Amino acid sequence: MAFKDGQGYFTTDKAGNCPCGFGFNGKGFEWIPNAVLDLKEFRIEKDKVYLTYNTVEDIKTIEISMREMSDQTLTLAAIAPFADGPITIKDVEHIRHHESNRISVICESLSRLGIKVEEFKDGLKVYPGNPKPTLLNTHDDHRVAMSLALIGSRVDGIQINDPGCVSKTCPQYFALLESLGLNIIQH
């Protein structure tokens, strides 16, 4: 199916099961074939594509290339401890050279939370666990601060030093979290 000036498409696997791939604005996205049971919603808003679907069953283990969406790597790593199985993130070696060495920083943070994590040259593997309350270092990196704050939505007592570093991209980030019902305490 083509849409929006022919810039996007769905693909099928060899057996005709679908969708297992999607392209938009020159970028391709893939997910585990047969994991998609029922595409519930598909919509385009400006330059974003939204897909909502049900899965056949809980996905116990995920290995995903985040190369095309590396800015979301830390967000996925931060929510990974709450998954049913380990999540492996790969193809993001380049995020070691951003505001911080983001792979090492998120691995250090998850370890401080008591979460088992393995660090690779191009990514990491996060195992399910129960994060414990602790003070976490943002390393003056806005994406680190924002992703670690998400853990605080599920675990009381998460503290983040230098949360103001989010001002680089989203100064209202913590106010937005409060508007969602999170209890944000500033010291």
Side-chain angles (χ1 to χ4, degrees):
M1 164 163 74
F3 54 88
K4 194 165 182 175
D5 301 324
Q7 301 237 355
Y9 58 90
F10 285 113
T11 60
T12 60
D13 64 15
K14 290 181 182 178
N17 298 317
C18 204
C20 64
F22 170 73
F24 183 70
N25 285 345
K27 294 186 179 186
F29 303 93
E30 295 180 35
W31 52 82
I32 303 168
N34 300 323
V36 176
L37 175 63
D38 187 14
L39 183 62
K40 294 300 222 181
E41 178 185 17
F42 170 83
R43 74 180 192 274
I44 300 173
E45 291 180 13
K46 296 184 182 176
D47 63 345
K48 294 187 180 178
V49 174
Y50 296 88
L51 300 168
T52 306
Y53 59 92
N54 292 329
T55 58
V56 174
E57 58 187 46
D58 290 338
I59 298 172
K60 302 294 183 196
T61 302
I62 295 174
E63 182 174 310
I64 185 169
S65 170
M66 295 294 284
R67 178 179 337 169
E68 298 294 332
M69 50 194 155
S70 62
D71 283 346
Q72 287 72 42
T73 297
L74 299 182
T75 302
L76 179 56
I79 63 174
F82 307 105
D84 292 325
I87 295 180
T88 302
I89 301 168
K90 60 183 187 171
D91 299 326
V92 291
E93 182 178 1
H94 62 280
I95 70 170
R96 290 186 178 277
H97 310 287
H98 287 237
E99 288 83 348
S100 68
N101 179 337
R102 290 180 172 165
I103 294 173
S104 289
V105 165
I106 197 67
C107 288
E108 170 195 316
S109 298
L110 291 170
S111 293
R112 287 183 50 81
L113 289 161
I115 300 300
K116 180 181 175 186
V117 60
E118 296 175 26
E119 182 175 343
F120 310 117
K121 181 179 178 184
D122 75 331
L124 63 148
K125 183 174 192 173
V126 182
Y127 292 84
N130 296 309
K132 63 181 181 187
T134 193
L135 174 64
L136 300 169
N137 187 349
T138 65
H139 296 267
D140 195 31
D141 188 327
H142 58 120
R143 293 206 188 275
V144 170
M146 289 188 279
S147 63
L148 294 176
L150 294 176
I151 297 169
S153 70
R154 295 276 310 261
V155 178
D156 288 335
I158 299 298
Q159 298 175 47
I160 299 173
N161 75 347
D162 188 26
C165 68
V166 300
S167 65
K168 178 176 182 179
T169 53
C170 188
Q172 69 278 22
Y173 183 73
F174 290 101
L176 290 169
L177 289 180
E178 279 186 306
S179 74
L180 294 173
L182 271 65
N183 184 22
I184 307 290
I185 300 170
Q186 297 182 21
H187 294 281

